[in-house]
Amino acid sequence: MFTGIVQTKATVVSAKQVDNILKLVISVGAEYLDKLTLGASIAINGCCLTVVHFEQPENDVVGQVCFDVIDETLRLTNLGEVQRGSQVNFERSMTFGTELGGHIISGHIQTSANISEIHHNEGNCRMHVALPEVWHKYVMYKGFIAVNGASLTVGELDHTGFWLHLIPETLTLTNLGIMRVGDTVNIEIDQQTYTIINTVENYMKKQTLLKHN
């Protein structure tokens, strides 16, 4: 589990396709690898990945972490688009006593979406995300949504997607600050909203079937 509070941006060292698996290697400040273990979960652009190897040279300020990204993950996320030098959002999994500054995020990306508009004014940023229509019912005004792993609040809704209102701190700490129109972002719907809507819809379907039997 994650909080959606991105800890830092990491840099892609290499992203090589080997036997239908993307071998992804990132570099990140050594302080973010403290007590890291093989098999640990890290959210990269909001996608929960498993650490398969890491290097934390003694007295070095930068370490490297390696992940194997399977084809299903590549199909649903923007990780297949990263290349050497790309910046990705980085968050270690929650530990006991972690302050929950965002909202509970599983790291299981449901879909990707394109940025269709970006407007900067007075240090703030309005960003429009064109979301596939099948997911519109799960996005609520002022509700939570995770975009590239960052816990954000939906600012506005329209018939093609939603708007985000991003403060300078978010633009600095995450890779949303370097996004351009047309770029792809990973989307994780708030799990509580997702569960409630699906439960209600399933109940209504059952009630309809009972009335017709």
Side-chain angles (χ1 to χ4, degrees):
M1 290 293 187
F2 305 91
T3 67
I5 304 301
V6 174
Q7 294 165 319
T8 190
K9 287 176 288 191
T11 302
V12 175
V13 175
S14 65
K16 297 179 180 179
Q17 196 79 26
V18 179
D19 297 330
N20 296 322
I21 291 177
L22 180 71
K23 299 287 186 177
L24 180 64
V25 182
I26 65 159
S27 65
V28 68
E31 68 269 28
Y32 297 104
L33 304 182
D34 184 46
K35 298 180 181 179
L36 185 65
T37 60
L38 291 179
S41 295
I42 297 178
I44 301 297
N45 276 358
C47 181
C48 179
L49 299 179
T50 300
V51 176
V52 297
H53 179 71
F54 68 95
E55 297 179 4
Q56 190 177 5
E58 189 174 355
N59 299 323
D60 199 334
V61 296
V62 176
Q64 292 190 355
V65 189
C66 308
F67 309 94
D68 287 341
V69 188
I70 61 175
D71 55 357
E72 176 70 2
T73 302
L74 296 175
R75 182 181 67 83
L76 289 173
T77 75
N78 61 11
L79 294 182
E81 300 176 7
V82 302
Q83 54 190 335
R84 180 180 176 86
S86 295
Q87 290 189 311
V88 292
N89 291 338
F90 178 102
E91 183 190 352
R92 294 277 298 270
S93 59
M94 293 174 60
T95 57
F96 182 76
T98 298
E99 179 180 353
L100 184 59
H103 71 284
I104 296 295
I105 293 172
S106 68
H108 298 158
I109 304 300
Q110 282 116 343
T111 188
S112 58
N114 292 326
I115 296 173
S116 56
E117 292 185 54
I118 300 176
H119 302 284
H120 292 275
N121 62 338
E122 298 180 359
N124 295 318
C125 173
R126 293 178 70 243
M127 181 179 292
H128 185 266
V129 181
L131 187 69
E133 187 175 359
V134 66
W135 298 104
H136 285 194
K137 63 184 178 182
Y138 300 110
V139 181
M140 307 295 178
Y141 172 63
K142 295 302 180 183
F144 287 124
I145 195 163
V147 180
N148 268 7
S151 173
L152 300 170
T153 302
V154 175
E156 302 169 48
L157 296 170
D158 60 29
H159 66 285
T160 61
F162 61 92
W163 288 88
L164 299 170
H165 299 164
L166 305 174
I167 62 174
E169 183 75 1
T170 301
L171 297 175
T172 299
L173 287 176
T174 75
N175 62 8
L176 296 178
I178 59 174
M179 292 286 128
R180 297 180 179 179
V181 171
D183 284 348
T184 303
V185 291
N186 294 332
I187 301 294
E188 182 181 335
I189 303 297
D190 175 49
Q191 291 298 314
Q192 185 175 9
T193 302
Y194 182 82
T195 301
I196 290 172
I197 289 177
N198 283 347
T199 300
V200 171
E201 284 190 345
N202 289 335
Y203 175 80
M204 295 302 293
K205 287 178 182 178
K206 289 180 180 179
Q207 293 303 307
T208 301
L209 287 174
L210 289 173
K211 288 180 181 179
H212 289 85
N213 290 335

